[in-house]
Amino acid sequence: MRQWRWPAVAAILITLLAGCAGLPSGSAPVASETHFGDESREVAALLDYHRRVAGMVAADQLREYQISLAGFEHHPGEFQRLRLALLLSLPRVPWHDDARALQLADTVAAAPLDRVSPRRDLALVLQKFLSERLAQAEELRKADEAGQKLRAQLADRQRQVRDEQRKAEELEQKLNALRDIDRRLPRSPRR
């Protein structure tokens, strides 16, 4: 499976959103065009924010996560959902939670299909990325379980082999003891 790279995804999204922001929206009112442009800038800011937080030291990342979590709890709008989803998707942080990030992205992506929205587009990209990462994690978990099962079976087989070797050694010792007894027994003369 191909892994998504955030810088590449961010660059593509920013380019698409910047290009789309200048396109006429047909019969839509001017306020909608402004809203679309505002959302495009928000999405670009979110992607830039994610890039900056990913490069921060752990203490600063934690502070940003706590601020974002508090912002989401006070105002759980689309922007805050996406911001929190991006922070939850950061690798190698204690609060990393792809499943929760996917739930947040799902909520934003559930907007009506006929509504053009850069936030929704970002949520769809996040959905795809997080779904693939969760699927990979599930595959790794299953592979790890299979590996553990195989190791347990191998250990069981090794134990069985040791038991069989021990039994064979015991039987060989008994056979040798019987041979010794047989050699010591007086032989009757042959006729």
Side-chain angles (χ1 to χ4, degrees):
M1 278 190 195
R2 281 188 347 208
Q3 285 196 335
W4 289 65
R5 303 282 187 231
W6 274 112
V9 171
I12 291 169
L13 279 173
I14 290 171
T15 303
L16 287 173
L17 293 173
C20 292
L23 294 176
S25 59
S27 62
V30 175
S32 176
E33 289 177 12
T34 304
H35 177 71
F36 185 80
D38 290 344
E39 276 193 29
S40 294
R41 284 186 286 282
E42 280 181 2
V43 168
L46 280 169
L47 293 172
D48 183 56
Y49 173 75
H50 180 268
R51 181 191 52 76
R52 283 185 293 114
V53 172
M56 291 179 177
V57 296
D60 292 339
Q61 286 178 332
L62 177 60
R63 188 184 79 244
E64 289 298 324
Y65 170 69
Q66 290 170 337
I67 290 169
S68 182
L69 187 59
F72 173 72
E73 289 171 354
H74 287 90
H75 180 69
E78 288 182 349
F79 180 82
Q80 293 296 343
R81 285 179 191 281
L82 288 171
R83 182 176 171 168
L84 185 57
L86 287 169
L87 290 174
L88 288 167
S89 71
L90 286 172
R92 297 176 298 281
V93 292
W95 60 85
H96 177 88
D97 188 347
D98 282 343
R100 185 163 177 228
L102 182 59
Q103 288 175 339
L104 291 167
D106 285 345
T107 305
V108 178
L113 293 176
D114 61 343
R115 187 180 134 227
V116 176
S117 167
R119 284 189 208 140
R120 184 175 179 279
D121 293 342
L122 175 59
L124 290 171
V125 170
L126 269 173
Q127 270 185 325
K128 175 83 171 150
F129 169 74
L130 293 167
S131 294
E132 285 181 7
R133 199 155 74 176
L134 285 168
Q136 287 175 346
E138 180 64 16
E139 287 175 12
L140 287 173
R141 186 192 63 75
K142 285 180 180 178
D144 187 48
E145 281 181 5
Q148 288 176 1
K149 186 176 179 179
L150 286 173
R151 284 188 292 276
Q153 288 175 346
L154 178 61
D156 189 45
R157 296 285 189 260
Q158 288 172 334
R159 191 186 85 263
Q160 289 174 356
V161 166
R162 283 191 305 270
D163 289 347
E164 292 299 320
Q165 286 173 337
R166 184 184 46 78
K167 288 177 185 176
E169 288 170 2
E170 288 174 2
L171 287 173
E172 189 172 344
Q173 288 172 359
K174 288 178 183 179
L175 182 60
N176 288 338
L178 286 174
R179 285 182 183 149
D180 286 344
I181 292 172
D182 186 48
R183 279 187 228 128
R184 289 187 216 139
L185 286 176
R187 302 273 179 216
S188 58
R190 289 191 182 180
R191 295 182 198 181

